Amino acid sequence: MVGQGVLHECLLDPDVERVLAIGRALLGRQHEKLRELVRRDLSDYSDVENELSGFDACFFCLGISSAGMTEEAYRRVTHDLTLAAATTLARLNPGMTFIYVSGAGTDSSERGRSMWARVKGKTENDLLRLPFKAVYMFRPAVIQPLHGVTSRTRSYRLLYFLSGWMLPVLKPLFPKYITTTEQLGRAMLSVAKHGCPKRILESDDINSLKNPG
Ligand SMILES: NC(=O)c1ccc[n+]([C@@H]2O[C@H](COP(=O)([O-])OP(=O)(O)OC[C@H]3O[C@@H](n4cnc5c(N)ncnc54)[C@H](OP(=O)(O)O)[C@@H]3O)[C@@H](O)[C@H]2O)c1
């Protein structure tokens, strides 16, 4: 959902020359700026490193819900896949800005009671130590999907189906908690192009960034 949102904004943005979308399934989208790299295993990029340099930014949107998962299994996807991609990209693109989508409530101390928040906190902290030009953490809370974007996670799909009509009404009242896939995508582009004084951005920070071009 977040990935589709930022891809939509990248393809519209005249400053973006090309996009390489990496995932385990084809997006099924055709666009002159878009190329896809489909891999079964997103923990190792050693055989495709020649395709991964020359990029200014990475918008890392891979993620899952922790519901019903052990800490180890959740960490393998959330932390290990993120760090595998990020370490490779930092080595190949030292001038890159890396943006990670974590979530509101992420635990930077890595010691709190919430398992998902600890794992995301460790992921953020490890990313902040990598030698990128800059690393930013996006911590959205509720995200309203726009432009036909849908979540790959069934529980989120159901939630958004049931609450979809309410979000546009609630959003102006709760700007600290609600953003849209469009605002997220535009904010990611703004931060990649112009930087941002904050390294960790919550929903209201995200909503205040507009990608002025
Ligand atoms: N949606 C929200 O309201 C919300 C709010 C706050 C934070 N977030 C965070 O934002 C991030 C993105 O969420 P989303 O809503 O965009 O989720 P989503 O629609 O479910 O998309 C997640 C993406 O991650 C990929 N993925 C998951 N597990 C993978 C694995 N083991 N190997 C390879 N790819 C894998 C999925 O691939 P497939 O397409 O192949 O399944 C999918 O493309 C997550 O970290 C989530 O916690 C979301």
Side-chain angles (χ1 to χ4, degrees):
M1 176 173 142
V2 177
Q4 288 172 51
V6 68
L7 175 62
H8 181 85
E9 298 308 317
C10 284
L11 297 180
L12 287 176
D13 189 327
D15 290 339
V16 177
E17 287 171 16
R18 64 186 174 119
V19 179
L20 177 65
I22 306 179
R24 60 183 172 183
L26 265 180
L27 295 168
R29 252 191 107 146
Q30 304 289 323
H31 193 284
E32 57 190 4
K33 287 198 238 180
L34 175 65
R35 207 172 71 67
E36 292 197 50
L37 184 58
V38 176
R39 297 178 66 72
R40 285 174 65 122
D41 177 9
L42 293 184
S43 65
D44 176 26
Y45 297 89
S46 49
D47 57 325
V48 285
E49 286 196 353
N50 60 335
E51 301 187 50
L52 301 180
S53 57
F55 291 94
D56 298 310
C58 172
F59 305 128
F60 196 91
C61 305
L62 184 157
I64 46 169
S65 158
S66 65
M69 294 190 84
T70 63
E71 179 157 354
E72 194 195 340
Y74 182 67
R75 190 191 310 113
R76 261 203 308 274
V77 176
T78 302
H79 176 272
D80 298 357
L81 292 187
T82 307
L83 268 293
T87 347
T88 306
L89 289 172
R91 181 164 44 78
L92 299 172
N93 302 274
M96 177 177 263
T97 296
F98 189 93
I99 295 172
Y100 175 59
V101 184
S102 56
T106 293
D107 174 7
S108 300
S109 80
E110 304 176 30
R111 279 197 283 254
R113 283 209 271 176
S114 165
M115 181 275 275
W116 75 263
R118 279 196 309 272
V119 173
K120 286 220 166 175
K122 174 159 178 57
T123 309
E124 286 192 354
N125 291 340
D126 286 353
L127 287 172
L128 286 165
R129 286 190 272 270
L130 291 178
F132 285 111
K133 177 179 151 199
V135 181
Y136 296 95
M137 307 304 156
F138 274 46
R139 292 185 179 179
V142 177
I143 307 168
Q144 179 191 355
L146 294 180
H147 310 302
V149 163
T150 53
S151 177
R152 302 281 294 170
T153 307
R154 198 186 307 169
S155 54
Y156 285 167
R157 271 204 307 277
L158 184 65
L159 181 74
Y160 287 120
F161 175 73
L162 296 175
S163 63
W165 63 273
M166 274 193 291
L167 291 180
V169 180
L170 294 176
K171 189 168 175 296
L173 304 174
F174 300 101
K176 280 189 165 202
Y177 304 103
I178 306 178
T179 186
T180 67
T181 49
E182 180 183 291
Q183 275 173 316
L184 263 174
R186 290 189 180 176
M188 286 184 186
L189 280 163
S190 171
V191 164
K193 290 187 216 180
H194 308 293
C196 177
K198 289 186 174 178
R199 285 287 177 260
I200 297 180
L201 290 91
E202 308 282 347
S203 277
D204 52 345
D205 302 312
I206 292 165
N207 290 343
S208 68
L209 288 169
K210 297 278 187 297
N211 184 26

